[in-house]
Structures are given as structure tokens and as C-alpha cells.
Amino acid sequence: QVQLQQSGPGLVKPSQTLSLTCAISGDSVSRNSTTWNWIRQSPSRGLEWLGRTYYRSKWYNDYAVSVKSRIIINPDTSKNQFSLQLNSVLPEDTAVYYCARGQWFYYYAMDVWGQGTTVTV
Amino acid sequence: EIVLTQSPATLSLSPGESATLSCGASQSLSSSFLAWYQQKPGLAPRLLIYDASNRATGFPDRFSGSGSGTDFTLTISRLEPEDFAVYFCQQYGSSLTFGGGTKVEIK
């Protein structure tokens, strides 16, 4: 059974960097038929996809236009996890942050989600 | 960016009734890239439908998805108490975006 376990601080000061990690069990961050995503949810913005990382002979990243200048998503194959770094945060970055797996079988819809981390800026 | 508009925002129904939820896209989608998620309070969204009409693991056949192009529908027949939740559509063909959600509440 695939599980995603999120970790990271729940409080970040404005202008600082939000950092979260998503540890994967039961799957591999390097598996070719998967994508590894970060999504956030807030009352004002709803569900917002932030970006993803995936491996297809080499590593790729895609980012949402809204955060592209501030975001980095990195895989860590040694720990089988991936991370989110969002720089220069603002109060409007306050949200519940989720990591999630996209799988080829589901046309890359997200079938496994982390438990969510409430981040307050 | 493709914008998804869900309607209605809230649906008030009784157990046993049927629910019809709509998701409209600002541009035509490949149906392969339209999904529906169910979310209950305090929990992460859960994949319900992928490829517009295929049920994900664990959902009964009273849930069905349909549609193509810019108009997609999620139908829940014979609502059970555990079906009252918020439902989101999502497209993943051009970047990824979510609709604003439809809350199905008990009348």
C-alpha cells in the first residue's frame, strides 16, 4: 500500500522560505510511470496545483505559472522522497499543502495523497 | 490556463436521491485528462473518476462520470450518507487546474 508522509513546519514568517517534505513508502520516486505533485488548498484560492517532479530517463519539473518564480520541487532518491521549497512567502500562501502521486494508469490523475500540512504565513 | 467552472456550488439533497454535478471547461479537453475527486472535512481529496468516466478503486457503481469537450458531469445515483461531501473536477491536459467544487449536503 502506497503512503505519503508529509513533514515540515506549520508556521513560516513572511519573506522566508516554506519547506516541506513528502516521504514515499510502497513506491519509488524514480518510477517511470509516476509523477510527484504538490497541491495546496485555501478558502480564497481553492485547490491549486503547484508543480510536480518526475523521472523519464532524466528528471523533469513542471510548475504552475502562479508560483513559477518562487518554487523548487526536488526529488531525493536516497531517501525516496520529494520536497517543496516556496520562497519569499506572503500571507496569501497560507494554506493546507498536500503532496500527491500521479500515476500513468489513471492518466496521471492523483490517486494517493499525503495527509496535508497546514502552513500559516 | 484552462478554467474549470463547477455548478451548482451547493446541492441539497436527501439520501436516496440522485445528484448531478457539472464541470465546464474554458477550452476543449481530451476526456482522458478529466478527473473527479471527493473530499470530506479534514481529509485530503480522494480520486473518484479518471478519464472522465472510469471509477477509481473503492467507489461503487452509483458513481458515474460522463462528458467530453467542455462539458462533463458526475452523477451520483441513490445518495448514501457517506456520499455527502465536496466534489472537485480537475483537468490535467494543459498544466493542471481544479474546479471550485460542489458541496453535496444533506437536505
Side-chain angles (χ1 to χ4, degrees), chain B residues 4-6 11 19-22 29-30 35-36 48 52 56 64 70 75 79 83 85-86 90 94 104-105:
Chain B
L4 298 179
T5 302
Q6 291 188 243
L11 207 46
T20 301
L21 288 66
S22 296
L29 302 177
S30 163
W36 290 90
L48 167 60
S64 63
T70 60
T75 302
L79 281 162
D83 300 337
V86 182
Q90 181 214 17
S94 169
V104 179
E105 64 176 22

Side-chain angles (χ1 to χ4, degrees), chain B residues 6-72:
Chain B
Q6 291 188 243
S7 62
T10 304
L11 207 46
S12 298
L13 295 166
S14 301
E17 292 190 299
S18 293
T20 301
L21 288 66
S22 296
C23 176
S26 60
Q27 301 174 37
S28 184
L29 302 177
S30 163
S31 61
S32 299
F33 300 131
L34 193 286
W36 290 90
Y37 296 82
Q38 178 192 69
Q39 187 177 31
K40 295 183 178 179
L43 298 179
R46 183 182 170 196
L47 179 63
L48 167 60
I49 297 284
Y50 64 96
D51 188 18
S53 61
N54 291 291
R55 275 189 313 280
T57 305
F59 284 96
D61 61 6
R62 64 177 180 272
F63 291 91
S64 63
S66 63
S68 63
T70 60
D71 296 305
F72 297 86

Side-chain angles (χ1 to χ4, degrees), chain A residues 36-88:
Chain A
W36 302 96
N37 300 265
W38 285 99
I39 304 100
R40 67 183 178 184
Q41 185 174 29
S42 65
S44 59
R45 302 171 76 101
L47 280 165
E48 181 183 17
W49 175 79
L50 300 176
R52 65 186 175 190
T53 190
Y54 55 99
Y55 185 76
R56 303 288 185 270
S57 302
K58 69 175 186 176
W59 288 101
Y60 293 88
N61 290 305
D62 297 319
Y63 298 130
V65 169
S66 61
V67 294
K68 194 169 187 175
S69 63
R70 302 192 288 136
I71 190 173
I72 298 172
I73 295 176
N74 275 330
D76 183 341
T77 56
S78 66
K79 296 181 179 179
N80 200 31
Q81 62 187 30
F82 63 109
S83 62
L84 167 68
Q85 182 178 309
L86 187 64
N87 300 318
S88 304

